[in-house]
Each structure stands twice: as C-alpha cells, then as structure tokens.
Amino acid sequence: MHHLGRNETPRELALVAARTLARRASLAATEGAWLDPACGSGNLLLAACEVGLALGRLRGIELDPARAREARRRLASATGASPGTFARRVRTGDALDPARAWPRGSWVLANPPWVSYSGRQAPAAPPPAERSAGGWPALHSTFLERIARHVASQGTGACVLVPASVTELARYAPLRERLHSLVRLEEAPLELGDAAFPGVHGSAVLLSLGPRRSSAPDSAAPDPATWSQPPTPAASALVAELARLPALPPSTFADPGVHTGNSARELLRSATDGPGPGVWEGVRRGRDLAPFRLASPTTLLRTDLVPGRERRFRLGQLERARAFPLLLRQTADRPIAALHTQPTWFRNSLLACRGVPGLDPAFLVAVLNGPVAAAWHRLSFRDARQKSFPQVKVAHLATQRSPLASRDDAPQLHDRVAAEVERQAVGRGTADGLRALQDELFDAYGLSPASRALVLELAGGPAA
C-alpha cells in the first residue's frame, strides 16, 4: 500500500474476510483460535467479533506498541469486556520472528503490511535478508509464506488480503510455487477491485488457503505459475486460441526510463519555461505518446546532476535510451505503442521495446495497438481492469502474442502494415488507412468467429 504498509482494513472488507473464514471454519467444525499476525488497531479482530467469534478465541500480534494498545482498547470497548481482557490476547512483537510461536491450531485472518522492496513504491531501506521471500522482495510475501507454513503444519486455514499482483505477476512466481507446495487455494481468489482500500492505487484480492489433502497438486488454481484465470468459458477459449500463436521473446521489453526518485524538482521543468542553470535536454513522458504517434518532448531534464546519498534518481545512458525503436505508455488499460521517432530521453512513465528479430518495429507497433493485444491484456491482468491508475508492465507485455513469428510468414502483409504505421507516425496516414491496417492484421490472427466477437467487445474499439 503506502511505503509503511499501514493502511487499516476498511470495516466492510474486514467483514468479507471474516465471514469467509467463519464459513470455512464452520465447515471444518473447528474451535481453534483466530490469529491476526499483523493486527494493527484491530479492524479484522473486530470483524471476527461481529461474525460471532467468541472473545476467548481472538489472538493478535502487532509490531507497533501504540497500535497494539489501540487494538486492545477498541476490542474492549466494542465487546464490553474489561480493559485487561485482551492484554495477553493481543501481544506486541514481531510475528515474523522465528522464535515467536503462533498459537497452535489457530486459523489466520490477516491483512499483512504491503511493503515492496523493489519498484516505484519501494522504501529507501533495503529488505532484511529474511524478509525477501519470492522473486519480488516484499514484506507481504514473507508474511504469506509464514502463514502458509502455519496452515500446513496445523491443518487449519487462512484468509489473507494481498495485492492482486501477487496472484499473477511473473516476479511473484517463485512465491506462488512455494505456497503451492504448502497449501491449496480453497476457492479462486476473490477480486476486490481497486477501490477496496480508499486512497490506495492497486487492486486487492482475498486468498483463501487450506492445507493440502495429499501430496497431489489439488489446488483450485489453474497451476502454480498463476493464481489468475479468465472469468468465463468464452474467455478461456480465446486465451487458449491466442496461446497457440508465437509469443514475443522474454527480453523484448524493458523499463530503462528516467526515475526521478526524490529529485524531480531539481531534474524536471516544463519545456515552455525554457532551461535553467545547468545542462537541459528534452525528456518524454507518458502523455507525449498516443497510438502510433509520439509528440515532441513537453518537459526538460537536467542531465548534469549527479546522484548521491541525499539525492536519489536514475538517468541511465542517453545512447541506450535512443536505441529502443518503440515506446509504450505505462499507465493504460491496454498496450499503447508508437515508434521512437526523434529518439531522446524518456521517463519511466514510458516503457521501451527492443523489437523482435525478423519483424519490423513498425509492424510490432500495429500488433501492440491492435484489439487482440488489448483483449489479451484485459483478460490476463487485473491491473488492466482497475478503474483508477491501470497499469501496463514489462511482465505483462512479455506475454503478448503476434500473428507472425517473422516477416517470412507473410511478407506482403507484414510490409503493408509496417508502411502504414510509418505513415501514421509522421502524420501522413489517414483514418481509412488505419482502419484497413487494423482489419487486415486482425484477420491474420485466424480467430474463430466467437473469439473475434469477444476480442472486439473486450477491446472496446481501437487504442486511443
């Protein structure tokens, strides 16, 4: 969530999680305690009381002493219990300390801190080694693995609120594989949308975990590589059709753009203001890119500053930035691409593409702007379906399919498409030419009539 991972669970969301765990615990006819290992000020424990859990079964652990005291106070006030009732039930401490035993036989209801140690939202401090579970080091990953080990050893269950990216992002795959070896998904992840936590950008899901019933991989998830699945049989059929087409090479896309860190005010100024003291050059940002067209930079970048202990940013090398033949918007609900004309610096609100051997970069621009790429992206990734701040990520783009593996598959089609994209890039193309390009490229995918109709429904028209 934010850099400290301290967003309290809203009451309605806490009740959804508590009711889900109550249903599962009732089916198992268990009387075990319920534990929140990162209980904050007690919202999930309060929800457990609302769904009928007996006071004697509540347990909490909280690292922050002030928040632990607040949780005890609120629980006592809500239940009419004496102030000392929760002194031993809500403890102050580090739930991830290997020396701290969790209550035996307890079920887990948790919203662990969402703290990523990589990417844009990373805190300045590096992760402790023991807090770096998964390919993407994150505190919520470490909590998930500890919860899974507890569920596996105790034969109980857990309901855990986590970022939706945990269920589908490629860099979380090592974590999912470890969890898959310990526990099963009792039901498909419950999508909670991007409005689940007010003021937080990013979708949330509720994971319902239980112990494996045997050594067989009996999880409700499609496979350990992803805990995300298409919502309908028609969508599954479309994904299966597209999955047979050539995948773009994994190294096709990158995020080499300028990261301004804590120094944006020193590094950036509007092009209309002109340069200030120092060396300034044009730098593009996401809003400078539209489908098939890349505008001139509207922002200037100071390139002679040097990062240091108090000034953290990353410029990279201009030669490397110029070498990428096409760019894409990072904040969008579908791929939006353009040729990197008049190449120069660009910010990390733009992603980069190295191109694909055997395909003209202009042809690839048409593929990425097309309705099939939009449909694939929206079906495959929850980030694309959130209403605010939808995301296109390098890992998302690396799953995209192309109707051609190389120009040799259909040289005339390839060259016609590439030529029209180049006309569009310099403002010499027409609307009719663009429509004809997209229709011809759409035909090249060879989709069934039902899948074609679903693509157009999901894409909602051309990229704009």
Side-chain angles (χ1 to χ4, degrees):
M1 295 188 179
H2 65 57
H3 69 287
L4 295 177
R6 290 183 177 178
N7 282 68
E8 296 287 349
T9 311
R11 177 176 174 273
E12 289 304 317
L13 190 55
L15 285 171
V16 168
R19 288 169 182 150
T20 302
L21 191 61
R23 170 170 47 81
R24 290 188 45 218
S26 296
L27 290 173
T30 179
E31 294 298 323
W34 282 21
L35 169 69
D36 183 349
C39 69
S41 60
N43 285 17
L44 282 169
L45 295 176
L46 286 166
C49 290
E50 286 197 51
V51 302
L53 193 73
L55 290 184
R57 297 173 63 188
L58 292 173
R59 298 290 187 274
I61 304 172
E62 172 53 42
L63 186 64
D64 184 341
R67 298 176 85 208
R69 287 193 297 271
E70 177 66 6
R72 297 183 199 110
R73 184 196 66 76
R74 293 178 69 207
L75 286 164
S77 175
T79 60
S82 63
T85 301
F86 295 98
R88 293 177 59 84
R89 296 176 187 161
V90 177
R91 298 293 190 97
T92 300
D94 183 354
L96 296 178
D97 183 345
R100 177 175 289 275
W102 290 9
R104 291 180 62 83
S106 58
W107 291 59
V108 179
L109 182 66
N111 172 25
W114 296 9
V115 179
S116 172
Y117 295 106
S118 181
R120 295 185 182 190
Q121 305 302 322
E130 70 275 12
R131 304 282 167 101
S132 302
W136 186 295
L139 187 55
H140 47 271
S141 300
T142 310
F143 265 98
L144 260 177
E145 186 167 354
R146 177 70 187 267
I147 290 168
R149 293 190 183 281
H150 175 81
V151 167
S153 67
Q154 301 298 308
T156 56
C159 284
V160 191
L161 294 160
V162 295
S165 55
V166 167
T167 67
E168 59 190 9
L169 200 63
R171 288 187 64 183
Y172 282 109
L175 171 67
R176 289 193 297 269
E177 290 171 0
R178 284 205 293 278
L179 298 179
H180 191 79
S181 70
L182 294 166
V183 294
R184 72 188 302 271
L185 282 174
E186 294 293 332
E187 50 197 65
L190 178 62
E191 295 193 32
L192 301 167
D194 58 327
F197 290 89
V200 174
H201 292 302
S203 298
V205 296
L206 178 66
L207 297 182
S208 189
L209 307 178
R212 287 206 164 279
R213 297 180 183 139
S214 70
S215 59
D218 57 350
S219 172
D223 59 63
T226 175
W227 283 355
S228 178
Q229 52 193 359
T232 65
S236 295
L238 171 57
V239 168
E241 280 192 72
L242 292 175
R244 292 193 291 266
L245 293 170
L248 300 179
S251 61
T252 300
F253 301 96
D255 178 17
V258 171
H259 288 246
T260 57
N262 66 352
S263 307
R265 291 186 177 181
E266 295 177 87
L267 288 169
L268 302 174
R269 61 189 298 145
S270 172
T272 58
D273 295 336
V279 179
W280 296 81
E281 299 181 49
V283 59
R284 290 191 174 97
R285 51 183 176 166
R287 67 184 61 184
D288 296 329
L289 189 150
F292 302 100
R293 295 291 303 274
L294 190 62
S296 297
T298 56
T299 306
L300 296 177
L301 172 72
R302 184 170 180 180
T303 61
D304 62 334
L305 284 183
V306 178
R309 187 170 183 178
E310 302 300 325
R311 182 191 285 157
R312 299 186 302 276
F313 62 89
R314 185 196 78 189
L315 297 187
Q317 298 294 320
L318 178 58
E319 292 77 12
R320 183 175 184 235
R322 285 174 170 168
F324 289 97
L326 61 100
L327 301 178
L328 302 98
R329 292 188 66 161
Q330 194 270 341
T331 303
D333 63 358
R334 62 186 290 165
I336 298 176
L339 289 172
H340 193 186
T341 52
Q342 298 179 328
T344 187
W345 299 98
F346 52 89
R347 295 190 63 185
N348 64 330
S349 53
L350 290 167
L351 300 176
C353 177
R354 297 182 174 90
V356 174
L359 294 175
D360 191 304
F363 177 84
L364 196 55
V365 167
V367 169
L368 292 168
N369 282 330
V372 174
W376 173 276
H377 183 69
R378 289 172 177 173
L379 274 180
S380 301
F381 303 107
R382 292 187 182 94
D383 281 351
R385 300 195 290 272
Q386 61 193 36
K387 293 180 181 178
S388 62
F389 207 64
Q391 299 288 292
V392 174
K393 298 176 180 176
V394 168
H396 297 167
L397 293 167
T399 71
Q400 283 286 350
R401 264 50 185 176
S402 170
L404 307 182
S406 73
R407 178 182 180 275
D408 294 341
D409 292 340
Q412 293 183 343
L413 168 66
H414 173 278
D415 293 350
R416 285 196 301 272
V417 168
E420 181 58 37
V421 169
E422 289 172 353
R423 286 192 289 271
Q424 296 288 334
V426 295
R428 293 205 303 264
T430 65
D432 288 343
L434 184 58
R435 279 192 294 271
L437 172 157
Q438 292 178 326
D439 288 344
E440 192 168 11
L441 190 60
F442 193 19
D443 290 340
Y445 283 92
L447 298 176
S448 66
S451 290
R452 288 174 65 98
L454 181 58
V455 163
L456 295 174
E457 176 186 342
L458 288 166

